[in-house]
Amino acid sequence: MSVTRPALRQPSLLIVEDLPDQQALINHVLSEILPEFTTIWVADAPSALTYLVECDNGNHPLPRLTLLDLYLPGREQGWSLLRQLKTRSILNRMPVVILSRSDHKEDIERCYELGVSSYITKPDTLEEWKAYFRVLRHYWFQIVKCPPSASGRG
């Protein structure tokens, strides 16, 4: 598992993305739009689950938000991770946003059935990514109120 560990007292985002080009693009945008956040990167569902179980066990602060690419590389991996997250008491309240190229009705419906907080189709351009993360910042970190156990510990 390759995980970038968060700095103490900085809010963190967990991003589950398997494609290096998408990781680089998202990282570039995050450094501009959410520079005060530490980004925890994992490339697959097992690594994400391992990290989040460690958070649930008190070894790391819970991320403020998880951004999950549904296709890791297949959608079954994303769905499986969502199912597993929703079986743990603290993790089942953690906001999870799906970022996917897919706009298939079945993908969207299944993710909401599994308890996802939001489903977003990935933008195409750098400017669209920046606009997306500005809205994400405003919505998830200025408007939404999460229970303390779902908004990060520590």
Side-chain angles (χ1 to χ4, degrees), residues 27-133:
N27 197 48
H28 172 76
V29 174
L30 286 175
S31 68
E32 180 180 325
I33 307 299
L34 292 166
E36 73 278 15
F37 277 74
T38 297
T39 305
I40 303 155
W41 291 95
V42 295
D44 56 46
S47 297
L49 186 61
T50 297
Y51 182 80
L52 290 168
V53 166
E54 289 177 5
C55 293
D56 194 15
N57 292 334
N59 297 325
H60 309 290
L62 197 63
R64 293 274 309 270
L65 183 67
T66 295
L67 304 178
L68 171 61
D69 179 18
L70 180 60
Y71 284 74
L72 294 169
R75 66 186 179 184
E76 290 300 326
Q77 291 88 350
W79 288 342
S80 175
L81 179 58
L82 284 172
R83 274 192 302 275
Q84 292 176 67
L85 291 180
K86 298 308 174 180
T87 64
R88 299 190 67 99
S89 62
I90 290 175
L91 299 180
N92 73 3
R93 291 179 279 167
M94 180 186 61
V96 177
V97 174
I98 296 293
L99 288 177
S100 180
R101 288 267 175 229
S102 169
D103 62 356
H104 297 288
K105 179 181 175 186
E106 179 187 4
D107 289 345
I108 296 166
E109 288 178 354
R110 183 72 177 132
C111 285
Y112 280 107
E113 288 169 4
L114 292 170
V116 74
S117 305
S118 257
Y119 189 106
I120 306 293
T121 303
K122 288 181 179 177
D124 292 319
T125 68
L126 179 61
E127 289 309 311
E128 289 172 339
W129 275 103
K130 288 179 181 181
Y132 165 75
F133 277 105

